[in-house]
Amino acid sequence: PVRPSGMLDVMRRPSRRETGQRPAATVPQPRDPGQPYRICAVCLGNICRSPTAEVLLREELRQAGLDGRVVVESAGTGDWHLYGPMHPRARAELSRRGLDGSSHRARQIDRSWLPRYDLLLAMDRRNLAGLRRMAAGDSDLENRIRLMRSFDSDSGPDADVPDPYDGSPEDFVLVYDLVEPAAREIARQLAEMV
């Protein structure tokens, strides 16, 4: 396995399997079963992790035959990169895997957007806390927010997708590799639901 550099020096936590916990998070029921299921992946600046998750999740959903039945978007909690493209190394990693992130433009999530989504995927605990603050007082919204890696049965229960922004190309490889099993599990669950 690739060892992350700098900020991505992820501490090893026991997996759910190792601790005997349930295998993975479950996707919430759709708000409106007659409409497409809506997902928003959220990170800090919306140029590295969340757009990688968006593109990868769309591909997993396409492979599961869910085109048009699930809509995936992404946004950031911060405004540093508004309307900017995906980080070049994130886009390069997607391209290396046969996926295209070239049309991405960064956005900042707003509390008023939260009711649009059936599922909000936070890339790390900091993003999770920010989304929970936005949803405070609305239990339905709070119950629709999950950590991305909570859907990966081999990750720890509070596992983050670490921020690769100032990292090496290998750090962007790691982000893809951490997001992929969670995206696959989300697609699997949604294929049984929608």
Side-chain angles (χ1 to χ4, degrees), residues 42-78:
V42 180
C43 69
L44 198 57
N46 192 220
I47 63 168
C48 299
R49 297 171 291 170
S50 59
T52 295
E54 175 186 356
V55 172
L56 183 49
L57 188 50
R58 279 186 186 153
E59 176 60 16
E60 291 292 335
L61 292 163
R62 184 194 67 74
Q63 290 180 22
L66 296 174
D67 278 346
R69 294 170 43 201
V70 181
V71 175
V72 184
E73 300 174 4
S74 66
T77 57

Side-chain angles (χ1 to χ4, degrees), residues 21 46 55 82 84 99 105 111 118 141 146 161 166:
Q21 295 180 5
N46 192 220
V55 172
L82 282 179
L99 301 173
R105 293 297 172 260
R111 188 197 192 292
D118 297 292
L141 289 178
R146 309 275 194 282
V161 177
D166 288 321

Side-chain angles (χ1 to χ4, degrees), residues 106-117:
R107 307 178 316 153
Q108 183 180 19
I109 197 161
D110 183 85
R111 188 197 192 292
S112 67
W113 297 10
L114 300 187
R116 296 181 199 171
Y117 299 108

Side-chain angles (χ1 to χ4, degrees), residues 3 5-6 17 27 31 36 38 59 64 70 74 97 103 116 127 140 143 150 171 179 186 188 190:
R3 259 319 269 169
S5 65
R17 286 188 186 136
V27 295
R31 290 176 176 279
R38 296 180 60 88
E59 176 60 16
V70 181
S74 66
R97 310 269 187 138
S103 66
R116 296 181 199 171
N127 309 138
D140 181 58
N143 290 328
S150 69
D171 296 329
V179 168
I186 292 166
R188 187 196 67 75
L190 287 173

Side-chain angles (χ1 to χ4, degrees), residues 116-137:
R116 296 181 199 171
Y117 299 108
D118 297 292
L119 174 61
L120 292 136
L121 295 168
M123 296 299 113
D124 64 29
R125 285 167 283 165
R126 180 177 174 187
N127 309 138
L128 181 70
L131 288 170
R132 285 182 173 160
R133 277 191 302 276
M134 285 185 201

Side-chain angles (χ1 to χ4, degrees), residues 2-50:
V2 174
R3 259 319 269 169
S5 65
M7 290 180 60
L8 292 184
D9 194 11
V10 181
M11 289 180 22
R12 169 78 171 104
R13 292 190 175 100
S15 73
R16 287 181 180 80
R17 286 188 186 136
E18 292 168 339
T19 62
Q21 295 180 5
R22 64 182 173 80
T26 56
V27 295
Q29 290 295 313
R31 290 176 176 279
D32 182 350
Q35 295 297 316
Y37 195 94
R38 296 180 60 88
I39 299 171
C40 187
V42 180
C43 69
L44 198 57
N46 192 220
I47 63 168
C48 299
R49 297 171 291 170
S50 59

